[in-house]
Amino acid sequence: MNTHFHYERRAGATLLDAGHTRFRLWAPSSAGVVLEAEGYPPLPMARTGGEGWFEGVLACGAGTRYRYRVTPDLAVPDPVSCYQPDDVHGPSAVVDPASYDWRHGAWRGRPWHETVIYEVHVGVMGGYAGVARDLPRIRALGVTAIELMPLSEIPGGRNWGYDGVLPYAPESAHGSPDALKALIDQAHGLGLMVFLDVVYNHFGPDGNYLPVYAAPFFRNDLHTPWGAAIDFRITAVQDYFLDNALYWLMEFRFDGLRLDAVQAITEQSWLEQLPARIRARTERGRHVHLILENENNDAGLLRAGYRAQWNDDAHNALHVLLTHEHEGYYGNFVSNPAGALARVLGEGFAFQGDISPVTHKPRGSPSIDLPPERFIIFLQNHDQIGNRALGERLVALAPPQALRAAYGLLLLCPQIPLLFMGEDWGSRQPFLFFTSHAPELGRIVREGRRKEFAGFSHFASEEAQHTIPDPNAPETFAASCPPAAERDMPEHRAWNVLIHELLTIRHDEIVPRLSGARAIGADAVGAGAVCARWRMGDGAVLTIALNLADSPVVLPHAPQGRCLHAQFPPRADLSSTTLPPHAVLACLTEAQND
């Protein structure tokens, strides 16, 4: 039986019936608002429902294109637009949420401990339809959730999505709203969860008209790296983002949201209350997962109801061990990367109030009480690849055997693993920072990016800076699209086999024991080696020993229990207390019954 879903938003265009639409806009800085719908006479909107609110009903249906005239010389798209067929400066379009028939409307998601995340950029995969075509292959790999980088309408069709200005409108360059729903519906039919990356900390630099007609949306006393801070003290602002979260979860049936850079959201109380407010409005029995990116390592938010946080500390320690890079934020980890990794595996965060050597400020809070599944571990993601000047992946930076060993830790430890698209076949295609701004803004972005990397030794000269690809050039986007033919090459098939084998072990041996798992010890056993142990939910003990150094290390104890996975040089002795270079060993000791 087909199903329709609709979330009743406080603002925007709401289809009342096939021939009537209600329009609501919060414009406290406007003296008056006129609805201008194509093919209809202008409709002055009435003040209603509280300070700054305007409302009007027009005898029009789905597909109607409209703007709001907020000053005599400016008509703007709807800030709650559900579809922008002509980009961020064009008119908004009325959408009928009942136009899509859900085939898998009874889907209730999957429990968190089963999660293996595969992060994708929809544009480089060919839009919503392109991602949908790749879902069977992704599922066969052993992935249980795909995470889509932000979909808010952005200027042009080439952008990471973090410069979005219309957070309710799925990017039109990727396809229609119904095409996105079809992607999610197909994923659910395959047993895959779908998460969405949302940006609630800023708006992009092109197409954000809110300051003109809703100045109280922003604070003039606090600033973020992207401009004036959003004022989450204002009820209308809080409701704007709460409605956005519920819109994606209820109408598009996303299984979870990843909140980008929440350290830039000034009102922590709003963040703390958000999980309970969302769960009060979603269906009982449905799995809804809220994920954080948070530079502050605020463990309190994880206790407030968020499911997990991207564990940048884990990535940074592993990256330093694999590449020996030391500039930028990697400077926080160069003095003792193995010790930092051991703390990550044993306690969650590496920085728990410690002073950062880079910023000279304290960072983080204690996290030892949190279970390992509250942390998402990764070797690569869009940031860690694309924020490199040349977008190199780890296969181009790290010794292959060491990298293969690191995957053993990534995919078998009790933290939740994340893979970035192409990582599963060891793609060598770079993932670059790309945009499609107007020429002047594109020039500013290009020069700003080159200046940003001038502080790195490799790009100190002006000549070297000019080797950094122009984000606004179409070929920069084209160079970031992973070629499907690459997957069929023998070298890349070998990476795919490894990832599939490790995920099979994870689903067979780790996932059934993951609920209730706790770390019981993690130590650096050499300059580039760690040994970590967890008591799993069924009482079994999981031990993972990893050596990313070029020389062997001595383990404190001989490996015990059943070997789940080992990457050792040929003819190495798995029972020895010596762990060879670029090796990993994962063992499981079953619980003893009295």
Side-chain angles (χ1 to χ4, degrees), residues 91-166:
S92 305
V94 177
V95 170
D96 180 4
S99 64
Y100 184 78
D101 293 325
W102 289 82
R103 295 173 298 150
H104 304 288
W107 168 264
R108 290 294 179 268
R110 300 180 65 152
W112 179 247
H113 69 274
E114 296 179 356
T115 304
V116 174
I117 304 172
Y118 190 86
E119 188 194 16
V120 303
H121 183 281
V122 172
V124 302
M125 291 186 70
Y128 305 127
V131 177
R133 286 191 295 270
D134 207 31
L135 290 178
R137 182 194 66 82
I138 294 171
R139 182 189 67 165
L141 180 68
V143 165
T144 62
I146 61 169
E147 181 177 319
L148 309 183
M149 290 172 64
L151 299 179
S152 303
E153 187 74 28
I154 43 88
R158 307 183 309 273
N159 195 293
W160 277 15
Y162 298 91
D163 286 335
V165 292
L166 295 167

Side-chain angles (χ1 to χ4, degrees), residues 30-243:
S30 290
V33 177
V34 176
L35 173 68
E36 296 181 347
E38 295 180 2
Y40 297 85
L43 175 67
M45 298 174 70
R47 290 184 178 274
T48 183
E51 185 177 351
W53 284 99
F54 294 84
E55 182 175 318
V57 176
L58 189 65
C60 68
T64 301
R65 299 193 180 196
Y66 67 99
R67 284 187 173 97
Y68 299 118
R69 186 160 295 279
V70 293
T71 70
D73 57 355
L74 179 64
V76 301
D78 191 341
V80 190
S81 169
C82 295
Y83 188 35
Q84 286 294 121
D86 299 318
D87 213 353
V88 295
H89 300 291
S92 305
V94 177
V95 170
D96 180 4
S99 64
Y100 184 78
D101 293 325
W102 289 82
R103 295 173 298 150
H104 304 288
W107 168 264
R108 290 294 179 268
R110 300 180 65 152
W112 179 247
H113 69 274
E114 296 179 356
T115 304
V116 174
I117 304 172
Y118 190 86
E119 188 194 16
V120 303
H121 183 281
V122 172
V124 302
M125 291 186 70
Y128 305 127
V131 177
R133 286 191 295 270
D134 207 31
L135 290 178
R137 182 194 66 82
I138 294 171
R139 182 189 67 165
L141 180 68
V143 165
T144 62
I146 61 169
E147 181 177 319
L148 309 183
M149 290 172 64
L151 299 179
S152 303
E153 187 74 28
I154 43 88
R158 307 183 309 273
N159 195 293
W160 277 15
Y162 298 91
D163 286 335
V165 292
L166 295 167
Y168 288 77
E171 172 55 44
S172 56
H174 302 333
S176 69
D178 280 0
L180 174 57
K181 291 177 181 179
L183 160 62
I184 298 167
D185 201 12
Q186 181 178 336
H188 291 169
L190 292 169
L192 291 169
M193 296 180 285
V194 188
F195 303 152
L196 176 63
D197 199 344
V198 294
V199 182
Y200 294 162
N201 53 59
H202 77 287
F203 291 84
D206 185 12
N208 176 24
Y209 295 100
L210 280 166
V212 176
Y213 60 87
F217 210 99
F218 301 93
R219 301 182 63 159
N220 53 25
D221 61 334
L222 283 178
H223 292 267
T224 75
W226 306 283
I230 295 170
D231 196 347
F232 279 89
R233 299 170 301 179
I234 305 296
T235 299
V237 174
Q238 294 179 11
D239 290 345
Y240 181 86
F241 290 107
L242 173 62
D243 267 1

Side-chain angles (χ1 to χ4, degrees), residues 295-297 351-357 359-365:
E295 169 64 22
N296 291 342
N297 279 4
F351 280 83
Q352 301 181 29
D354 308 81
I355 300 296
S356 159
T359 66
H360 308 292
K361 297 178 181 179
R363 171 172 170 256
S365 57

Side-chain angles (χ1 to χ4, degrees), residues 544-556:
I544 300 180
L546 172 71
N547 183 14
L548 298 180
D550 296 327
S551 56
V553 297
V554 177
L555 299 175

